[in-house]
Amino acid sequence: MKLLFERSVPGRCHDLLPACDVPVAEFDASLLRGTAPRLPEISEIDLGRHYTELAKQTHGVNDGFYPLGSCTMKYNPRVNEEMAALPGFTQIHPLQPIETVQGCLEALYTAEQLLCEITGMDGMTLQPAAGAHGEYTGLQLIRSYHLSRGDTARNKIIVPDSAHGTNPASASMVGYKVVSIPSNPEGGVDLDALRAAVGPDTAGLMLTNPNTVGLFDANILEITKIVHEAGGLCYYDGANLNAIMGHVRPGDMGFDCVHLNLHKTFSTPHGGGGPGSGPAGCKEFLKPFLPTPHVKKTEAGYELYAPEQSMGKVRSFYGNFLVILKALTYVLTLGKEGIPEASAGAVLNANYMMSKLVGSYDMACKGLCMHEFVMDLSRQAHDHGFTAMDVAKRLLDFGMHPPTMYFPLIVHEALMIEPTETESPETLDEAAEVYLQILAEGMADAEKLHNAPLNCAISRPDEVGAARNPIVRYTFE
Ligand SMILES: *Cc1c(COP(=O)(O)O)cnc(C)c1O
């Protein structure tokens, strides 16, 4: 398809600006550019068509099934958008005096209270802009706590090998050494390995639960006990809260801090780079270290304050305010009954779809899963010469977004499927049929899958080239 610059015709500008009705500001000539910028000149209809064409080449949850594992691509109710678009929320400035934005502060405060209740935490910051940013903030809470006690020897974070990839990365960013411990044969944390790993240098443990193979660790209470007895703190990666919300709470399982991905569990749009929101919650004893500013409720109204031993700022202003509003709308819409129903539906849908595929596809773990399940295509790769990648590519021909591929790393030919609770049984039936059909195709003729997708605008781009040498701007000859 043509780029805007290639569609551009000199003079075919369309401008909708009214005539200037204020005095024209004079700038110092040294600040002005000598030649006009090279902008594409294009009519409104052609501009509209350009973006419509682009939109058609992508796949969103409004187009079809989108079971991208570990990403929770659920349907985002439109009412969330309507609430976040109210002028009282959008027509404000972040530097406005706080007495003029009391309603906005109340919304932030309410979101914080509700998320604390859902996670079993006592305090929460809404500032982090993504899940990994929430991890970073939570780990800074742990670090601040140890340092405030003069305990400088604790420089290691234990991360099970079934954790999300961002966990070890965030721990390194905070300056910790990462100690990886293996999974047991059931897919949970190996308790003996954990006991052997903890000690006076343990700052804490980061646990992704349910973990990346979609399992809830049955030994969770024992895990947090082992870490606490060694003087470490427990961090809960709650990005996958979609599996458990309303049923169990990290705070009741012995965790000291947690982060949430509002752009997954709490139905704010994501994909294509954001904006997201990754609030970090903590127990009472960590609250003094929370980032600044933080909202509090007083008799005179809502105020911003700096917690006594605050780690400082992790982001400008209040976090991704409109994203938080969408999540707040979602929580208030679902209410106390709806929240556990949503997670029960997510777990039911994952198990329903898995039950249709088990026996044909190998599963990474036996038994029931939580909100997602991981299939392992190693046998097909070995016996029939087609891989997880080939299956994923073929799915595109059926208008379905592929699942997450080659993740978690501990499963060799992984396809990680997270259907989410917002899909109907009919969609899941149809998707399972397609997965089975592709499997049969691969057994009959692996070559066909190697060439897939067969009906898409682009077939197999050079993925390494695109990652290593991305062309992200137009260059004129
Ligand atoms: C998505 C995810 C993250 C990272 O969240 P981002 O918003 O992408 O930074 C961390 N942990 C888990 C378990 C996740 O699924």
Side-chain angles (χ1 to χ4, degrees), residues 413-466:
E413 284 286 340
L415 285 181
M416 181 198 232
I417 300 179
E418 180 181 7
T420 83
E421 70 279 13
T422 54
E423 297 299 339
S424 66
E426 291 78 16
T427 300
L428 300 179
D429 287 341
E430 195 188 313
E433 278 304 311
V434 167
Y435 275 78
L436 294 175
Q437 180 185 329
I438 293 176
L439 193 65
E441 281 177 2
M443 310 274 218
D445 176 13
E447 200 51 32
K448 181 170 180 191
L449 295 196
H450 294 161
N451 295 325
L454 308 170
N455 309 324
C456 293
I458 298 168
S459 181
R460 296 229 177 183
D462 172 3
E463 288 170 8
V464 176

Side-chain angles (χ1 to χ4, degrees), residues 139-152:
L139 288 166
Q140 285 290 8
L141 289 172
I142 293 180
R143 184 169 168 273
S144 303
Y145 167 76
H146 291 310
L147 292 182
S148 76
R149 303 167 75 239
D151 192 348
T152 54

Side-chain angles (χ1 to χ4, degrees), residues 69-72 129-133 135 163-167 208-210 212 237-240 259 261 263-264 276-278 372 407:
S70 202
C71 295
T72 314
H133 195 188
E135 291 172 28
H164 194 266
T166 48
N167 292 184
T208 301
N209 187 62
T212 54
D237 180 333
N240 293 334
H259 88 266
N261 277 37
H263 48 288
K264 292 180 183 168
S277 178
E372 62 193 0
F407 181 79

Side-chain angles (χ1 to χ4, degrees), residues 264-287:
K264 292 180 183 168
T265 312
F266 296 95
S267 105
T268 70
H270 61 304
S277 178
C282 64
K283 290 286 191 175
E284 194 66 39
F285 72 102
L286 292 174
K287 275 170 72 176

Side-chain angles (χ1 to χ4, degrees), residues 223-242:
I223 291 169
T224 53
K225 189 162 159 245
I226 292 170
V227 176
H228 282 152
E229 279 173 4
L233 298 187
C234 296
Y235 182 96
Y236 191 99
D237 180 333
N240 293 334
L241 210 74
N242 213 45

Side-chain angles (χ1 to χ4, degrees), residues 9-21:
V9 175
R12 192 173 292 166
C13 218
H14 103 93
D15 93 43
L16 291 172
L17 296 177
C20 184
D21 61 355

